[in-house]
Amino acid sequence: NAGVTQTPKFRVLKTGQSMTLLCAQDMNHEYMYWYRQDPGMGLRLIHYSVGEGTTAKGEVPDGYNVSRLKKQNFLLGLESAAPSQTSVYFCASSWDGQGWGTDTQYFGPGTRLTVL
Amino acid sequence: GNSVTQMEGPVTLSEEAFLTINCTYTATGYPSLFWYVQYPGEGLQLLLKATKADDKGSNKGFEATYRKETTSFHLEKGSVQVSDSAVYFCALSEGGAQKLVFGQGTRLTINP
């Protein structure tokens, strides 16, 4: 049981380049999330998904796109990277569809992205 | 909108000292409250949570009580260890998708 995995772990881009970050979970979770972590600002939600084929905007969605074609995967894309997108990106997932109430979010190890 | 405010860091303590990290929140409705911990080079992991007023979450010697009247969820531990050195995040969940709103994090360093 790997939990939540993220690919790649590190990446350096030049301004204007594009890339996709991959998140995968093996817990059969319905909900998945992408956050960015910046010094002194905690984590901020970029986009999230409540099920396969669905996506929604979070607090800081500009400059990012996402897709959830398969339940276990959630992709985060940067079409034209900017230095302001230098950050650590975390994926998380929650809720296996059983029962009600507040479920724990499980986080991946993060991707450190630098945009030059 | 909803928000979470944590005490400014960093915090440095000696081993076996008493720890308090303050957390207050602003929210409409009655959110669930969480403390997450991030060890160096790792992702976040849940430390404890409380889902309604007056609930106490506890784990690994850490405790926090959901105080609706003071909109607070302060983290406490009676005797810290070097292995508790990490960044601690207070958070609340909002909406049907249980999205998390985080505080800015508090870096804790415990010296032997």
Side-chain angles (χ1 to χ4, degrees), chain B residues 26-98:
Chain B
T26 302
T28 55
Y30 304 99
S32 293
L33 302 174
F34 304 82
W35 278 99
Y36 278 84
V37 59
Q38 184 180 30
Y39 298 103
E42 298 184 9
L44 280 71
Q45 53 186 276
L46 180 70
L47 181 60
L48 53 85
K49 69 180 183 183
T51 58
K52 62 183 187 297
D54 300 324
D55 268 3
K56 178 186 283 188
S58 61
N59 186 27
K60 299 181 181 179
F62 291 89
E63 293 183 339
T65 301
Y66 189 145
R67 301 285 189 200
K68 180 166 163 283
E69 63 277 9
T70 56
T71 61
S72 64
F73 193 55
H74 304 322
L75 182 68
E76 296 182 337
K77 187 174 185 181
S79 177
V80 293
Q81 306 300 314
V82 172
S83 57
D84 293 327
S85 298
V87 181
Y88 292 80
F89 292 92
C90 186
L92 63 81
S93 69
E94 61 177 10
Q98 301 173 2

Side-chain angles (χ1 to χ4, degrees), chain B residues 13-34:
Chain B
L13 296 172
S14 297
E15 208 166 18
E16 299 184 2
F18 183 85
L19 168 71
T20 300
I21 301 178
N22 290 337
C23 171
T24 58
Y25 67 91
T26 302
T28 55
Y30 304 99
S32 293
L33 302 174
F34 304 82

Side-chain angles (χ1 to χ4, degrees), chain A residues 31 33 35 37-38 40-45 48-50 57-58 88 90 94-95 101-110, chain B residues 6 31-34 36 38 41-46 49-51 87 89 93-94 96-105:
Chain A
Y31 299 162
Y33 315 82
Y35 296 90
Q37 182 181 26
D38 301 296
M41 300 187 72
L43 279 74
R44 292 179 293 168
L45 183 65
Y48 65 99
S49 167
V50 298
K57 294 180 180 180
V88 181
F90 287 100
S94 71
W95 195 54
T102 300
D103 266 33
T104 300
Q105 287 192 19
Y106 294 85
F107 283 79
Chain B
Q6 287 181 236
S32 293
L33 302 174
F34 304 82
Y36 278 84
Q38 184 180 30
E42 298 184 9
L44 280 71
Q45 53 186 276
L46 180 70
K49 69 180 183 183
T51 58
V87 181
F89 292 92
S93 69
E94 61 177 10
Q98 301 173 2
K99 305 182 296 293
L100 291 177
V101 176
F102 286 90
Q104 69 269 40

Side-chain angles (χ1 to χ4, degrees), chain A residues 21-42:
Chain A
L21 282 67
L22 171 64
C23 174
Q25 52 93 5
D26 61 2
M27 296 175 280
N28 200 35
H29 282 165
E30 297 291 333
Y31 299 162
M32 296 187 74
Y33 315 82
W34 276 107
Y35 296 90
R36 59 178 288 172
Q37 182 181 26
D38 301 296
M41 300 187 72

Side-chain angles (χ1 to χ4, degrees), chain A residues 52-68:
Chain A
E52 182 179 311
T54 75
T55 63
K57 294 180 180 180
E59 180 187 355
V60 289
D62 293 343
Y64 305 95
N65 56 75
V66 288
S67 63
R68 183 113 181 258

